Structure formats: structure tokens, C-alpha cells
Amino acid sequence: MEAHPLVTEYLRLGLAFDRLEEGFVDAYTGDPRLRREMENAPAPLPRDLARRAADLRAALPDAGLAPERTEFLDVHLRALECSGRKFAGEDIGFVDEVRAYFDVDIAPGDIEDYREAHRQMDEVLGGDGPLAERVAAHRKADEIPPERLRVCVEAFSGALRELVRERYPLPDHEHVTYEVVGDKPWSGFNYYLGNYRSTVAINSDLKQHMANLPHLIAHESYPGHHTEHCRKEAGLVADGQAEQTLFLVNTPQCLMAEGLADLALRSIVGPGWGKWAQEIYADLGLRFDGDRAERLSTASAKLLAVRQDAALLLHDRRRDETEVAEFLQRWNLVTPERARQSLRFLSSPLWRAYISTYVEGYRLLGGWLDRAVDADDRADRFRRLLDEPLTPGALRRDANAPSVTE
């Protein structure tokens, strides 16, 4: 099926950004000739890309596309215009940058929420001494022995895959390959290869913890990034929405995808995931207190915005890295090493705004899922996130609409 001319130009534009910063194109599963054309073209000028994004956005209303496709392209072209201006060296305020990329407004979190999280974590952990030291000791005891990591990954991937395929069918030949890598600013990363296949990289520089691994596999694979890519390829792309063959960094796509992925374990296993994980670890000969892990996870959820606050301190208030690292250590209760790893992510020119996709994505999508009237409605809402080209604006409009019970 031939792509709409404006959509083809959108694909060309997005692919051109990878010439400015390798990795800007997170995934592309469309016509390989188009990618080769952009790779062989003269190196683009950032200012020209920004102008092209603005021109395509102005042409959208007369393109004759369905409203949901028009809205999707509109917010993504706005994001690309901002990226072009940033690459051109324009000074754009951090809050404005985040708004243009992800279609959300951000503000500092509430320190009282962080204090309450600490109080609840103290209650769960018990014992004496500074909370940060007890958290560090707990995390140390929760580390997965490196030689057992691969078997743990495969066990959770298999268990989650089975649950997902029952509720959200996937093509028979879909597959995820896991590999362990180092020297990366993230904990895990999904590389979607097209044709229902992904490679998920897990960072060996960071100790992987038993409490976090189920979340990581759910996030990257089932029913997170891999599942979303597969179902959109089987649905939207097969239906001719070629814009869904391209996944770009620093766009509303990312906020929607990260929010979905962070809610993935809760959505497929639900409350009680700790006991569920405990049984899987027991089969592998590993001791894991699932109930305690789940209570600690619930308590620490109020620390969600700490890393976004750190980004605001660094980029909006221009505080030095030492002060920001101390902020992360104090409120996120992390070691200096973990704080430096977070700073590396927050300082990256490509990734510096990306933390907001996790914070605001979790809030927006979580709030929308919580409006479900029952479990079936919630499962259907999650299916819509997997299958439809939804945007942050679409969810906000839906959340503000009167419900049938109001």
C-alpha cells in the first residue's frame, strides 16, 4: 500500500534526524529504500529540518487524513521542529523543550510526598540506622547473582509472554532475544527490529535486582515495548498507517510508550505481583520476599518525580552536578554510584528531557487507566494503548469527559 505523500515526507524528515544524532531513530520498519535514500543524501542542516517540520505541520489540515492520524502527526511534527531548533543551537527553556517534545507541562514535585515515601519505606524495612543505609543493604541483598541473571530473565520473559498471549494475542513467530551489554546510560533498552522481533539489551554496569527484574521484563517485552510494537505493526501498519513504522526519540510517542511500559506489570499481573514473582524465583532456587517487595515498591512510588526534579535543577535552575547528585542521593535514597549513573542520563544532550516520559507518562496513562469502571474496562483501555495511535492530548480530553456514572 502506497503511503500518503505527506506521511512519506514525515518519514523522510524523521529519518534525516538520525544523520544529526545517531539513535534519534529508535526504530524504523518501513520501506528500506527510504532509509537508504536518506542515508545517502547530503547531510541535513538542523535549521532546514525545523523549517520542513513547520511546513508539513501547516499542510496537515488539508491532507485529507483521518482526525486521529492528523493529531498524531501534528504533535510529532511540533516535536521535530523543536528538535531541529535545538540541534541548530537555539536556546530553548527546559520546560518549553519538554512541552514541545512530549505534549505535557512539568513542575517540581512535592517534597512532602518524598518525606511520606521515606516514612512508609522506613516502616516496611524496619530496623535501626539511617534509612539510606538500610535501603542500600536491602538492595544489596536483593541483587541477582550475575551468573543467574540470564536464567531469571528467560523465566520471567516466558511467564509474562504466556499471560500476554492469552489476553492480547500476538503473531506466532514474534520473538525477543536478550543480551547483556555495558557502558550505557540506561538499565534496559528495546531494539525493535520489525517483523515482530526485538532485541532487549540489559545493562551489566548496574546490578540487577530481584524486585525490579519482573518490572524490567514487563517494561521492555511483555506487555511493554515489544508487545506494543508487534500489535501496532499487525494492526495500524498493516492498515496503511505508515507513520507508525517510525519511532523517534523526544516525541509524544515516547511518553505514551514509556507510560504504557511502566504500567505493564501492574496491568498484566496486577496486585499480588510480588507473590507471583516469589514463586518463579523459588522454582529457580532463589529466596525472594514478594509481599515485602511489593509493599516497598508501593511506598517508593511517591519518589517518582525525584529524577524529573533533578533534571529541572540541572537544566532549568542551572545548579551544578554536585548539588544535583546530592539531591538524588538524599531523596531517591541511592548510592553515589547510582546518582552518577542518573546524572549521566540527565546530562546527555539526546536524553536530558527523556526522564519526563517516565514521570508524566506514568501519571497520565495511570490516571486514565484508573478511570476504568471495572477490570474488564481497564484491560480494554490497556489494549487501546497497545493498539491505537493515542496522544497525550487524546487521553487528557477523554479524562476530562463526563463518565457514564457521572
Side-chain angles (χ1 to χ4, degrees):
M1 187 183 298
E2 193 72 25
H4 187 286
L6 190 144
V7 172
T8 299
E9 290 308 305
Y10 166 75
L11 297 175
R12 283 197 174 97
L13 175 67
L15 291 169
F17 272 90
D18 218 41
R19 298 288 302 279
L20 301 181
E21 177 82 46
E22 188 177 355
F24 194 93
V25 173
D26 180 274
Y28 176 65
T29 60
D31 187 345
R33 292 174 298 179
L34 200 60
R35 183 158 214 167
R36 286 196 297 271
E37 174 192 327
M38 300 315 299
E39 287 173 346
N40 294 328
L45 296 174
R47 187 68 65 188
D48 291 344
L49 296 184
R51 191 176 304 114
R52 184 63 179 145
D55 290 345
L56 289 174
R57 193 176 177 212
L60 260 178
D62 300 319
L65 292 165
E68 66 272 14
R69 295 182 70 186
T70 299
E71 179 176 10
F72 178 90
L73 287 163
D74 180 67
V75 293
H76 285 76
L77 287 166
R78 181 176 66 180
L80 291 180
E81 181 184 357
C82 182
S83 283
R85 291 164 56 203
K86 283 288 296 182
F87 278 121
E90 192 170 326
D91 185 18
I92 300 172
F94 184 68
V95 174
D96 292 335
E97 181 183 354
V98 171
R99 181 187 300 117
Y101 289 163
F102 307 124
D103 194 22
V104 289
D105 289 308
I106 62 172
D110 188 343
I111 293 294
E112 289 307 312
D113 282 342
Y114 307 157
R115 289 197 175 99
E116 175 61 17
H118 289 188
R119 187 195 67 74
Q120 292 179 17
M121 293 170 75
D122 176 72
E123 194 175 281
V124 173
L125 290 174
D128 300 313
L131 179 59
E133 291 180 8
R134 282 179 286 142
V135 167
H138 174 79
R139 287 176 175 157
K140 180 70 176 173
D142 193 51
E143 287 176 7
I144 299 172
E147 69 276 9
R148 304 302 307 280
L149 179 58
R150 187 167 293 279
V151 71
C152 290
V153 167
E154 295 295 345
F156 279 103
S157 183
L160 286 165
R161 182 177 188 258
E162 193 173 313
L163 291 174
V164 168
R165 290 174 69 87
E166 287 174 6
R167 189 179 301 172
Y168 306 112
L170 292 168
D172 289 341
H173 66 284
E174 63 80 22
H175 184 74
V176 178
T177 300
Y178 295 92
E179 59 181 33
V180 178
V181 300
D183 193 30
K184 299 295 182 183
W186 33 255
S187 178
F189 203 98
N190 175 288
Y191 296 93
Y192 188 64
L193 308 174
N195 195 29
Y196 314 115
R197 295 181 178 273
S198 290
T199 294
V200 169
I202 297 175
N203 190 355
S204 62
D205 292 350
L206 297 176
K207 298 292 186 183
Q208 297 297 334
H209 296 90
M210 286 193 282
N212 187 60
L213 189 67
H215 291 277
L216 181 65
I217 301 304
H219 183 111
E220 303 295 347
S221 302
Y222 304 105
H225 295 324
H226 172 73
T227 301
E228 181 189 5
H229 279 303
C230 285
R231 286 184 62 95
K232 282 188 166 71
E233 183 173 349
L236 298 179
V237 175
D239 196 41
Q241 296 193 29
E243 62 272 23
Q244 298 296 331
T245 63
L246 183 66
F247 196 97
L248 301 167
V249 170
N250 292 335
T251 64
Q253 253 176 327
C254 299
L255 181 134
M256 298 296 294
E258 299 298 358
L260 179 159
D262 273 349
L263 290 155
L265 186 65
R266 175 180 161 194
S267 296
I268 200 65
V269 179
W273 66 263
K275 289 289 189 185
W276 171 83
Q278 182 175 316
E279 292 176 5
I280 293 174
Y281 280 123
D283 288 342
L284 300 174
L286 293 170
R287 296 184 63 182
F288 176 67
D289 187 337
D291 179 64
R292 190 185 199 204
E294 191 165 350
R295 287 187 293 124
L296 191 61
S297 175
T298 299
S300 62
K302 287 182 178 290
L303 300 178
L304 175 68
V306 169
R307 288 189 298 162
Q308 180 167 270
D309 284 0
L312 284 164
L313 287 172
L314 194 62
H315 303 304
D316 187 56
R317 300 185 184 177
R318 313 293 174 128
R319 302 292 173 79
D320 67 65
E321 290 196 356
T322 300
E323 181 180 346
V324 177
E326 289 171 353
F327 178 87
L328 285 165
Q329 288 173 238
R330 178 182 180 185
W331 294 112
N332 235 16
L333 300 169
V334 294
T335 62
E337 179 188 23
R338 277 274 181 173
R340 285 194 298 273
Q341 182 77 7
S342 289
L343 266 178
R344 183 182 172 195
F345 188 77
L346 297 176
S347 303
S348 162
L350 182 62
W351 297 107
R352 72 176 206 156
Y354 202 83
I355 190 62
S356 293
T357 66
Y358 302 107
V359 178
E360 303 301 336
Y362 187 89
R363 285 173 174 166
L364 178 63
L365 275 65
W368 184 73
L369 288 171
D370 286 345
R371 283 177 59 86
V373 296
D374 55 27
D376 287 343
D377 184 27
R378 186 183 178 92
D380 189 61
R381 284 175 180 244
F382 193 80
R383 179 201 57 75
R384 290 187 62 197
L385 295 174
L386 290 170
D387 292 355
E388 298 179 21
L390 296 172
T391 62
L395 289 200
R396 284 194 295 269
R397 286 195 306 275
D398 188 85
N400 291 328
S403 72
V404 293
T405 58
E406 290 175 349

